[in-house]
């Protein structure tokens, strides 16, 4: 079973309730705590038993009366604490983040990254032409007397 939803009461009704409760218990000074063994030992007709129940009910109702205000204050305090913690963490780690950003910028300006950017901007035909171009250290076959003399002759022979 779900608990009933909170509905704020009207201030006039709250005042009437609290006034009635104060009037009912004002003359009883030695009342036990509601639900305690002393309270349970009292007769049901004992006014102290009723007074303890009224005080308990008024405590519950008073807690409920200011629930929205208390919750708002608790949430505001929690938000302020979280904001302070975030600002503290950010202040403590600002240097680390600045260093990381510098490393990232340097890596983007690194020659290998520029080369990668150049290759990514090439068309497919440009990539194929570059792949066919001999590089330093590539095996260069020596021309033979009966074989083609260069790559152009190989393409014409095929």
């Amino acid at each position: 079973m779900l608990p009933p939803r909170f509905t704020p009461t009207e201030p006039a009704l709250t005042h009437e309730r609290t006034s009635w409760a104060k009037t009912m218990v004002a003359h009883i000074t030695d009342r036990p705590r509601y639900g305690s063994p002393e309270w349970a030992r009292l007769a049901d007709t004992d006014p102290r038993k009723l007074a303890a129940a009224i005080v308990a009910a008024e405590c519950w109702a008073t807690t409920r009366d200011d629930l929205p205000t208390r919750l708002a204050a608790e949430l505001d305090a929690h938000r302020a604490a979280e904001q302070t913690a975030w600002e503290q963490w950010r202040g403590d780690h600002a240097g680390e983040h600045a260093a990381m950003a510098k490393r990232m910028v340097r890596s983007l300006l690194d020659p290998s990254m520029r080369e990668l950017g150049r290759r990514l901007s090439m068309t497919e035909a440009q990539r194929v032409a570059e792949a066919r171009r001999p590089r330093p250290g590539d095996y260069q076959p020596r021309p033979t007397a009966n074989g083609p003399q260069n790559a152009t002759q190989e393409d014409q022979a095929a």
Side-chain angles (χ1 to χ4, degrees):
M1 181 171 157
L2 294 174
R5 291 190 60 190
F6 176 77
T7 52
T9 57
E10 295 178 25
L13 294 176
T14 301
H15 178 71
E16 185 177 333
R17 185 197 73 228
T18 55
S19 297
W20 175 83
K22 286 178 184 175
T23 304
M24 292 297 289
V25 298
H27 61 283
I28 302 172
T29 56
D30 62 337
R31 62 185 175 273
R33 198 171 122 230
Y34 177 74
S36 68
E38 296 84 20
W39 177 83
R41 283 193 290 271
L42 294 173
D44 288 345
T45 57
D46 192 327
R48 294 177 297 167
K49 194 167 193 173
L50 177 62
I54 291 172
V55 168
E58 190 56 28
C59 287
W60 178 82
T62 302
T63 299
R64 203 174 141 109
D65 287 341
D66 64 347
L67 182 65
T69 307
R70 280 188 303 111
L71 286 178
E74 286 178 28
L75 287 172
D76 290 343
H78 182 69
R79 281 188 203 106
E82 286 291 319
Q83 184 66 29
T84 302
W86 162 245
E87 289 170 2
Q88 177 70 35
W89 183 89
R90 192 175 63 186
D92 292 347
H93 295 87
E96 294 172 26
H97 291 287
M100 181 178 64
K102 285 179 185 176
R103 284 193 307 271
M104 290 174 67
V105 167
R106 267 190 245 121
S107 73
L108 291 173
L109 298 176
D110 186 79
S112 61
M113 290 301 288
R114 277 185 265 153
E115 177 63 19
L116 179 62
R118 184 185 68 78
R119 287 184 186 170
L120 289 174
S121 64
M122 293 170 65
T123 64
E124 183 70 23
Q126 290 170 328
R127 281 193 217 120
V128 169
E130 185 174 322
R132 288 185 176 161
R133 192 173 314 124
R135 290 172 181 73
D138 283 354
Y139 172 74
Q140 297 293 324
R142 294 185 187 234
T144 59
N146 57 358
Q149 297 297 318
N150 57 33
T152 307
Q153 291 175 347
E154 284 181 14
D155 288 339
Q156 290 172 356

